[in-house]
Every structure is written in C-alpha cells, then in structure tokens.
Amino acid sequence: MKHAKIKLGAKPYLMGAMLLTVLPGVSATEDGKTDNKTGSNQTAVLPEMTVTAESGKAATQTATEKYKLPAVTESVTREKMEDTINVMNTEDAIKYLPNILVRKRYIGDKEMPVSMRTSGTGSSARSLIYADGILLSSLLGNNNSMTGSPRWNMVSPSEIERVDVMYGPFSAAYGGNSIGGVVDITTRMPEKFEAGGGVQSTWQEYDVYGHTDVYDSQQYTANLGSRHGDFSWRFDVSHLDAHSQPISYTYLPTSSGTGGVPVTGAVGDVDRSGSQRIFAIGEGNIRHTIQDNFKWKLAYDITPTLKASYTLGLWQNDESGGFNSYLRSATTGAPVNSGIINMNGRNYNLGSTFAENDYQQMHWSHGMALKSNTGGIFDWELTGSVINYGQDEQRAPTVAPNLAAAGGAGTLTSLNDTGWHTVDAKGIWRPDSAWGPHHVSFGFHHDLYELNNQQYVTSNWIYGAPVRLNTNSQGKTETNAVWIQDAWTFDPDWTLTLGGRLENWNAFDGTNTGSNGRTINQSNRSDLRFSPKASLAWKPTDSWKFTSSIAQAYRFPTVTELFQGTNITVSGTSNIVNPNPTLKPEEALSSELSAQYFLSEGSLRLSLFHEKVYDAIYSQTTFSPVTNSTLSYAQNIDQISTYGWEFSGEHSNVVIDGLDLSGNVTWANSRIDKNAALPASVGKYQPRVPEWRASATATYHVTKDFTSSISGRYSSQQYGQIDNSDVNPDTYTGTGSAFFVVDTRAKYQLTKQLTLSAGIDNITNEKYWLFHVFPQRTYIAELKFNY
C-alpha cells in the first residue's frame, strides 16, 4: 500500500469519502507539503495500514478531486438528499444548490433543461450533465423540447451516491457546452448483498382561473445488488404513475361577428405583454404519465487498481395529454369544446382548439468504462456512452374533439433512431519536480449526434399508419477534441493551472423535405477552434483559499438549430422554414474570482464572475421574405454580457448540536449589448436569467433516528422575450414570475431497515409561472426499505 505523508498538528480530516483520524501531534497534509506556518518541513511515514470508509461507503474521488479541476464546485450527498429533499425524480437532487433552476413542470416531466448562473433554461446546450461518464445532456438541441432536454430519467434517485456541480467553462476537460457548468452524478455500487425498495405518493392542490382539482402521483422502486469477490452488480427498477396539473391553457382573442352557440364560462385575462386581449376558455396538456425505468450495472476489478464497468439503461414512457373546456352552453349547461360559439356577442370557430395528444417512448442508454486508480504517477480511463431513441412518437389530432374521439385525422411525429454517442480517453500524470508537483491531465473526446425527425399526416391519429409526409429533417454533428491541463503547485500555497482544448466540429448530412416532396440538401460545415484556460489558486492559511480563473469556450450549433425545419404553406406553396445552417458558434470569455473560508464544520464562499458571449444563439422573431411574414428561428446575437456575485455557505451544529444550515444567494446583471438582427433588444435582460436567485436549508437532527428540515427557494422576475416585452409574467406564456417557495421534509428511521418520510413542497401555495404554471402545494409521503 502507498504510504501516507503527514505533518505536525492534530485533527480529523475528510479525504474523498473516507474519514481519517490522525495520530495526536500530527496533521494530514496533501502531498506532504512543507508547513510554512510552523517552518517545519518534516514528514512522517505511517506504517502500512488498512483504511476503512466511514459507514461502509466506497472511497471514491470526484472528477474535480482526481483531475485537479479548477472550477468552483458545489455538492450534495445521498445523506443530505435523504434528510432535506423531497426527491421524486433525479433532477430534484440539485434544486437547492447555488444559482440552479431545473424547469420541472410536473412529476415525470420529460423536458427539463437547466439554468445555471449565466445561462437560462432556453439555453440547454450550455450545460453538461453526466452520470458515471454517460452524457445525459441532449446536445441535439438548445431548447425545452425532447431534442434539447437532458435524459434525467436514465438515472433512478435510489442509486445516486452524490451530485457535484462545477460552475463555468474553466476546465479543459470539458467542451464549450460547459459555459454554464457541469453536473456530475455518481451512483452507488454495493460492497455486499443489499436489497431495497420504496413507495412514494404525492397529492397536489391546484387552483387556476377559479378551477380546482387534486392531482396525485405514485412511484414504486426496487433495487438489488451484491459483490462477489472482484465482481459486483446492481439492478434498479422504478415505476411511475403520475397526473399533472394543466401544462397549457387555451385562449381566444377578442373577435367580431355574430351567430354561433351562446356559451358561458370564459375567464378574462391579461396576456404576457399586459394587454387585456384574451379569454381563457380551457386547460390543455393535463398529463397522465406512466414511466418505467430499468438500470443494470456490472463492475469487475481486473486488478486492485484497474476496474471495468458496464451500464445498461431502459426508459419507457406512455403519456397522454387531455383537456378540459371551461365553456358551457348558455341554454343547456352542457360542456362545449367544438363548433362555432358566441361569447359576449362575438363569434368564434373553435375548430381543433381543444386537442389531445399521446407519446410512446422507449430510450436505451449504454455506458462502458475502463479506469485505473493507482494514485501513483500515472492513471488513465477510457469511457464510452450511447443513447438511442429506439421509439419516440407523438400523435395528435387535427380535427375537432368529437371527430378525434372516433379516431379522426391527425399527425404522427417521430424521433425514432435519433440519438448520440460519445468516447473519452483520459490520462493523468503526476510527476514531481524540483519546482513542485504537477498534475498533468490530458485526453481525447469524440461525439456524434444524429437527428431523424419526421412528421406524417395520418387518417387515424390514435393508431393509424403514416399516409403522407409533412416534413422530414435529418442531420448530424460531430466533434473531435484533444485537451491538456497542468495543475502545478509551484509553492506550497500556490497552484497554477494552465490548459487548452482544440476542437474540430463538423455538421453534415443535413436535409429538409417538405410536404411538396422537395428536398433541400444543406451544405456541410466544419470548424476548428482552440480554447485556452488559466487559473491561479492561493491558500495562505488552512482556513483561506483564493482562486482567479479565466477561460475561453466555444459552443457549436446543435443539429436541430442547423437542420430542424417546419413546413409552412403560403398562398398554396409549401415552404420549409426555421433551420439556420449558417449559424456561427457561440464564443464565451468567462472569468471568476472566488474566496473560500473553511470553518471547523463548514465553509463560506464568495465568487465574483463576468462573462461575455459573442454570437449567442437564440430564437428570434424576424421578417422572412420566403413567407412574407415574421418567423422565429435560431439566430446569432452579437454580444451578451453578464456580471455578478454569488455567496454560498454551510455549517453543521450551529449554536446547538444537530442544527445544520446551508444557503446561497446570487446577483447577476445579464444584458444584450449588440444585436443587429433586433436592435430593440439592445440593453435588455438576457432571457431567463433573473437578477436574483437564492435558496436556504435548515436541518435539525432531533435524534439519531429523526430529522426535519425546511428549505426556501427564491427567484426574481425574468423575461422570456429577447426585447423583454413580456412585462406580465403571471400568466400562461409569461416567462418568469418572481417566486418564493418553501418546502419541508421530515424523516424517521422506524427500524434499521425501514424509513418513513413525509414532506410538503410549496407549503405556502405560491402560484408562479415560467411560461407554464408550476406545481402548487404538493404533499409527499414515502416509505423505504433497505436491507
């Protein structure tokens, strides 16, 4: 076993996942550095010994620790999740970390992008999310759709060991999609036989436009695993049956004309621009979601320092969206959802205004890894991942509800065989030199994203076969990159990290076909960019650490931004619009200055950050000569600047034993500096990036078996439109109500194997909108068994 170097002092130290208690009179120090506070450079070498992990946990290193990454990192462990967070889905794990928002509209939501510090939820391609080396971020798109939202559902909450969030693009190990940051999920493998299961139930109280209801969800989980010598395995399965509140609403504008069936029930409302122009007449996309998630993990220790692993995941989703009309016949009181109506003396043709929809999805994930972990002069790893949309189909009617109920005409939209794969080879070399130790990490990265998106007309929207092609969008993007980074501790108190990443990006095989049968073959694209990184850390005492970082990063256009099109018919002529195959890559110049103070049982951090993004990619509405109308599609904004500060802290046993506090607050000023495509947007706020965000959690360990917590989340108003014209956020499509949400949780260990938990999310019943209305007061109950 490798000897441990120590120096004078006395204190328990947490190293990775292991709690080491050092002999009296000595204290542990990294790499046996000289203690310039005492003037001693003497090191002691302990005899060979066996170190056991606290509570039987595996002694694993995070990516930040292993590769000495310079980014500011915040983390949440499995224990903290269980004590403080009502986790129904994996994305819930990070909701109290600094300056993060996951746009989760309902339990089982499949479209949940992340907002991180300088990037909003409409910029999903500016964040990277991994689980054990498998890339969950969908870099097929840069939006809130199925092509742009992470595959959170490929991970079961029960298998999570910890989640680490790295802010900003300061590490050369990650590409330009890390402009916002990187979420790294580590899952558990058993050290002995274990089995577990759980039941969760939720109830949401809903009240919008005077219409009330209760929506419930149930989730059932089970896991089984063991270790037999050098071989370990784990199997997780979960079944979710969830009902959501309405996700969309149906409105009618003011109209002229007479005739039609007199109706009542419409509710007057103000639109997002503040105009009294609409009537709410019903609810849409009331989701009923049935999801099954299966995960198989295998690992084999080839040698004590070389480990191979394989992960197979299967996610299935059977989801339907219903509607509820507010309209009632003025004469009979019967519900009205189709035909010509008369409301307040004006007539409207409802047509297919009210419509159902249905999703059938089956996604596969594969992850393979071979990793060495000697802790010596050299370590390496080879990882690969594949995610495939084996089946991904949406069906929707294009006829009135009475005809749709009988299987009328509709559309079938397919993403079958869409997906991506990645390959990463990494190494780390730890040479000693006369000028201090180095940690030189380097690697190669490859990814390929493939879009297959067809929409067909069908004569029976429920189960009919395709009759005619409406649109077909296809294309691929590929990135190959090499990177190197050296963390050089040239003085016991100083570490300089320099790195760079060279990326070759290609877009090819882009085609668009419209309903007229005409195919447009888009030109192939290629680009080569280099991104330098630099960071300097100073640790003058054991209690203080200061870090200054600067980095350049390029976020290349996604395949849907380049090639995904929409069919529009103007004056009888079919046109493919919306793709923009000439998009430039986003170029970010990011910097950060952070100060950390380490307490005996906690830490405090203050970060100042600044970022300029050139050629930022956003959907903008401009005039199209092709259709002689305005259209929205991805375009480059010349320059966006963001600066601000972020404070984060946590401490255990505050004032009284068992009381833990954690919290954070962020202020960001993010403005559009230049935008030739839409001058009215200059000086406006970047969409979906609020000025203020904050969260805080208080946890009290009443006894060793009983824990209670209360948490709060705050966000100031944000805008969804480039020109900030959506001044009324508190309505459907209003992007960004200010909100303050309070959550509670209590956990009681009934026996060694049984745990009972209960909580309330949004206990004050805050009603807020982020384009969609978000969940109102929700009660959660959970019973878990672990053996």
Side-chain angles (χ1 to χ4, degrees), residues 103-161:
R103 195 207 65 159
K104 180 179 180 177
R105 302 167 297 175
Y106 57 93
I107 294 171
D109 195 351
K110 59 190 179 301
E111 299 172 11
M112 294 171 290
V114 181
S115 172
M116 296 181 67
R117 192 182 273 182
T118 60
S119 301
T121 53
S123 299
S124 61
R126 290 191 196 171
S127 60
L128 292 173
I129 301 165
Y130 291 89
D132 298 326
I134 299 176
L135 182 63
L136 304 182
S137 295
S138 176
L139 303 182
L140 293 161
N142 182 43
N143 46 43
N144 305 322
S145 70
M146 279 302 297
T147 57
S149 295
R151 305 294 86 209
W152 295 104
N153 36 51
M154 290 294 185
V155 178
S156 297
S158 59
E159 62 178 315
I160 297 175
E161 180 62 34

Side-chain angles (χ1 to χ4, degrees), residues 653-669:
N653 300 311
V654 179
V655 182
I656 58 175
D657 286 345
L659 178 61
D660 302 339
L661 300 179
S662 63
N664 56 82
V665 60
T666 304
W667 177 79
N669 188 330

Side-chain angles (χ1 to χ4, degrees), residues 134-136 151 154 364-365 385-389 418-420:
I134 299 176
L135 182 63
L136 304 182
R151 305 294 86 209
M154 290 294 185
W364 292 91
S365 68
S385 68
V386 177
I387 288 187
N388 178 258
Y389 294 15
T418 291
W420 63 88

